[in-house]
Amino acid sequence: MSLDLTAAAPAAPTTADDGVWLACIECGETFAPFSSIRYTCDHCDGLLEVRYADPPTFEDFAGDGVWRYAAALPFEEGVSLPEGSTPLHHVPRLESEVGVERLRVKHEGMNPTGSFKDRGMTVGVRVAKELGVGRLACASTGNTSAALAAYGARGGMATLVLLPAGKVAAGKIAQAALHDARILEVDGNFDDCLDIVQELAARGEVYLLNSLNPFRLEGQKTIGLEILEEFRADHDTYPDRIVLPVGNAGNTSALYKCFRELVQSGALDPADVPKLTGVQAEGAAPLVEAVEEGNDGIRRWPDVETVATAIRIGNPVNAPKALPGIRATGGTAVAVSDEAITDAQRALAGEGVGVEPASAASIAGLRKLRDQGVVDADEQVVCLTTGHLLKDPDAAFEAGNDPEPVPNDAEAVLEHIAE
Ligand SMILES: *Cc1c(COP(=O)(O)O)cnc(C)c1O
Ligand SMILES: [Zn+2]
């Protein structure tokens, strides 16, 4: 199968442009990458993947941020703010409470617009320029719209975002608004928004920058490259497991692609590939269902609900790329309750790491898998936190302490805090 972890690097087809091409993950058909716009296979509608004649090795990388990894990307530079080079935090109290040998938190909320979506957009908007398109668009649970609006603005391009009405956190809409996106609120959920924007893209009205766009996942691969390099620099080894929240499963797919390409180039031993472990909210867990039932595809969940609005998704479009990754790396997927997510958000905040609810799902999932004995005590784990606390101020107020009104008087304040 084309998504095998140990498959050899593919030979470049005649359609390749400078060693880069698109390939269908279902039927294997190849396409020139920049001569025309397509998001899925012309023949079978399967997902497309960017392929390279020369997969990268660690020696090819130089500089900082996403573009340090230009050798793994289709361009030398992009429309940049800049993005990447996010911290890999020690969280000693959480590490001992969860009970694993080593726990690190890769805080993607420290990107320019506060989520990992920036890594995809720096590449995606660069590709949009190459293709000469006029208007960029996405459906979004919030963070994609914030990133698209900012990177579109940076690139001098018009942006259109479709959001599920009433289900997007305040910080994210504020970003899209100020970065000058046209914001269309749809009376439906995220999956409905994605159906509509795909239709607009199919009619040639907009260039689609959801994670269905294979170039976005190229940028997001750099999360994996950073984790491997940083972890090895600090600990002289690679993590056993990477735990991440799953919405459309773009990141899960991107991390798996990162590992496959490093294995292809000989830079990474297949035995060193971290186990990809996806976490969803119980109210939106179609990928967990597919993993638990051993299904090849997912069943679309029509009604989804969770406090973690960034992963409130019932039809993860990248499941055909992500499921093979979870299986081939020996990983798994787990669903967690909203209470567990909020508890984990508080626990991270207690280490000084402020994240939005979806991000905390990674920690909640690790806790649950450790309790179940699926994760061993001797494991070295990296949890991905995908978005910043300020993205969702309402959730933070809900999870955190209430402000206390006090009189305008020092004595009275002293009395109050002594209570
Ligand atoms: C987009 C997003 C996710 C989901 O990522 P996928 O790649 O779609 O699985 C998770 N958390 C946050 C904060 C996000 O913005
Ligand atoms: Zn195909």
Side-chain angles (χ1 to χ4, degrees):
M1 202 189 76
S2 66
L3 297 188
D4 277 354
L5 178 60
T6 52
T14 51
T15 46
D17 177 352
D18 212 11
V20 181
W21 67 97
L22 291 169
C24 172
I25 68 160
E26 304 293 346
C27 76
E29 185 68 47
T30 62
F31 304 95
F34 308 120
S35 56
S36 58
I37 297 171
R38 61 171 58 76
Y39 310 99
T40 55
C41 177
D42 297 9
H43 303 291
C44 76
D45 210 31
L47 295 178
L48 298 177
E49 184 169 84
V50 182
R51 299 251 166 100
Y52 302 88
D54 290 312
T57 67
F58 290 109
E59 288 70 37
D60 297 330
F61 304 143
D64 289 314
V66 164
W67 295 97
R68 168 179 175 77
Y69 303 104
L73 301 173
F75 294 101
E76 285 301 308
E77 53 190 24
V79 175
S80 181
L81 282 168
E83 49 292 310
S85 291
T86 56
L88 189 63
H89 289 301
H90 294 221
V91 284
R93 288 183 294 278
L94 202 45
E95 180 182 80
S96 67
E97 181 248 309
V98 172
V100 288
E101 182 175 309
R102 189 167 274 142
L103 175 59
R104 297 290 179 266
V105 172
K106 178 73 169 162
H107 193 7
E108 285 295 300
M110 301 306 285
N111 276 297
T113 79
S115 85
F116 71 83
K117 300 297 197 300
D118 296 348
R119 294 183 187 262
M121 287 304 171
T122 186
V123 177
V125 175
R126 172 69 183 82
V127 171
K129 284 195 165 291
E130 189 75 13
L131 292 166
V133 298
R135 182 162 51 182
L136 312 178
C138 68
S140 179
T141 60
N143 283 331
T144 302
S145 69
L148 179 68
Y151 282 81
R154 190 73 176 174
M157 302 168 93
T159 54
L160 184 67
V161 304
L162 282 83
L163 309 178
K167 295 295 182 183
V168 177
K172 306 176 187 183
I173 302 187
Q175 290 177 291
L178 192 60
H179 288 300
D180 202 24
R182 277 189 78 176
I183 303 172
L184 308 182
E185 290 194 319
V186 176
D187 178 21
N189 61 27
F190 167 83
D191 304 294
D192 301 322
C193 294
L194 187 58
D195 289 345
I196 294 172
V197 80
Q198 276 187 256
E199 173 90 35
L200 300 182
R203 294 194 190 181
E205 294 292 329
V206 299
Y207 183 63
L208 179 76
L209 275 167
N210 281 97
S211 58
L212 187 65
N213 185 317
F215 294 105
R216 262 205 35 207
L217 300 189
E218 293 307 291
Q220 290 172 211
K221 274 189 330 198
T222 62
I223 300 174
L225 294 166
E226 272 182 27
I227 289 176
L228 294 182
E229 283 198 318
E230 287 180 272
F231 203 92
R232 191 190 50 199
D234 291 349
H235 310 299
D236 213 30
T237 180
Y238 296 115
D240 299 308
R241 188 183 296 272
I242 295 178
V243 185
L244 73 164
V246 174
N248 262 318
N251 261 344
T252 316
S253 308
L255 287 169
Y256 182 47
K257 188 167 191 284
C258 161
F259 303 149
R260 268 190 297 141
E261 288 175 354
L262 291 171
V263 169
Q264 280 168 1
S265 73
L268 186 67
D269 192 308
D272 285 335
V273 170
K275 297 179 168 71
L276 281 173
T277 302
V279 186
Q280 295 190 301
E282 281 172 356
L287 190 103
V288 175
E289 180 181 75
V291 168
E292 284 176 352
E293 295 181 359
N295 302 333
D296 279 340
I298 60 116
R299 184 177 66 84
R300 180 174 178 149
W301 286 25
D303 300 304
V304 282
E305 200 48 85
T306 168
V307 65
T309 51
I311 53 172
R312 188 175 169 275
I313 292 174
N315 186 32
V317 292
N318 286 300
K321 291 178 172 177
L323 283 169
I326 288 172
R327 291 188 175 125
T329 61
T332 187
V334 66
V336 293
S337 69
D338 279 4
E339 285 112 289
I341 288 172
T342 303
D343 279 352
Q345 190 189 18
R346 281 195 207 95
L348 279 165
E351 299 263 17
V353 181
V355 307
E356 66 166 289
S359 305
S362 59
I363 293 289
L366 175 64
R367 273 178 167 162
K368 183 164 176 181
L369 291 170
R370 183 69 197 94
D371 287 347
Q372 292 175 344
V374 175
V375 171
D376 292 330
D378 64 1
E379 285 194 34
Q380 311 202 31
V381 182
V382 173
C383 281
L384 203 63
T385 55
T386 40
H388 197 277
L389 179 153
L390 291 174
K391 288 286 194 173
D392 192 343
D394 297 323
F397 279 125
E398 198 63 38
N401 297 342
D402 292 330
E404 303 164 49
V406 291
N408 181 5
D409 174 76
E411 268 315 309
V413 170
L414 272 174
E415 254 170 59
H416 178 87
I417 60 177
E419 270 167 25

